[in-house]
Amino acid sequence: QDQLVESGGGSVQAGGSLRLSCVYSRRTYIRECMAWFRQAPGKEREGVAAIYIGSGNTYYASSMEGRFTIARDNAKNTVYLQMDSLKREDTAMYYCASAPFCTVVAGAPTATGFRYWGQGTQVTVSS
């Protein structure tokens, strides 16, 4: 069964770092693009970053570029999101998603085409 399982969330003070992990069950055409999204309470889901697991090409929402880094380890079927210089406004549930290709607008992945989603991992940033 195809699954995406996120981990690594938690509570951190502003300015701190966290690394999220997303393990996928197997590489298939539906996994060629892996992305991270987030959703804060009362807000719409927004794209954070995406990566092609074959080429390693990456895409970032402009507000996160420079602070967040997406990476993959194909040997471990894992995609990471390194988050540095965290801010209170980064507090959200973070989701991993997969698709045959990356759909992005102004660098940020859009939910369109991402059919497979994980359950999410909570990130809370306090001041």
Side-chain angles (χ1 to χ4, degrees), residues 2-9 19-27 30-31 33-37 49 51 53 69-82 94-99 114 116-121:
D2 289 332
Q3 285 187 320
L4 301 175
V5 180
E6 303 99 332
S7 64
R19 187 177 78 159
L20 307 183
S21 299
C22 173
V23 179
Y24 52 92
S25 56
R26 60 193 178 102
R27 181 178 177 180
I30 63 173
R31 298 268 187 268
C33 177
M34 300 291 293
W36 288 94
F37 293 82
I51 186 169
I53 62 172
T69 303
I70 190 170
R72 91 285 193 214
D73 184 336
N74 292 347
K76 295 182 178 180
N77 283 7
T78 302
V79 173
Y80 302 98
L81 184 68
Q82 176 69 40
Y94 284 72
Y95 298 92
C96 176
S98 73
F114 287 90
Y116 299 92
W117 295 79
Q119 294 300 307
T121 185

Side-chain angles (χ1 to χ4, degrees), residues 27-99:
R27 181 178 177 180
T28 70
Y29 75 97
I30 63 173
R31 298 268 187 268
E32 287 306 306
C33 177
M34 300 291 293
W36 288 94
F37 293 82
R38 69 185 187 184
Q39 188 165 20
K43 295 187 177 181
E44 293 187 355
R45 181 173 50 192
E46 63 175 332
V48 175
I51 186 169
Y52 276 107
I53 62 172
S55 66
N57 288 348
T58 58
Y59 306 88
Y60 293 93
S62 57
S63 61
M64 291 107 184
E65 192 165 16
R67 297 192 300 123
F68 291 6
T69 303
I70 190 170
R72 91 285 193 214
D73 184 336
N74 292 347
K76 295 182 178 180
N77 283 7
T78 302
V79 173
Y80 302 98
L81 184 68
Q82 176 69 40
M83 305 186 295
D84 299 317
S85 301
L86 283 162
K87 306 174 182 180
R88 286 190 65 184
E89 51 264 41
D90 294 319
T91 294
M93 185 70 81
Y94 284 72
Y95 298 92
C96 176
S98 73

Side-chain angles (χ1 to χ4, degrees), residues 99-111:
F101 55 91
C102 296
T103 53
V104 298
V105 175
T110 62

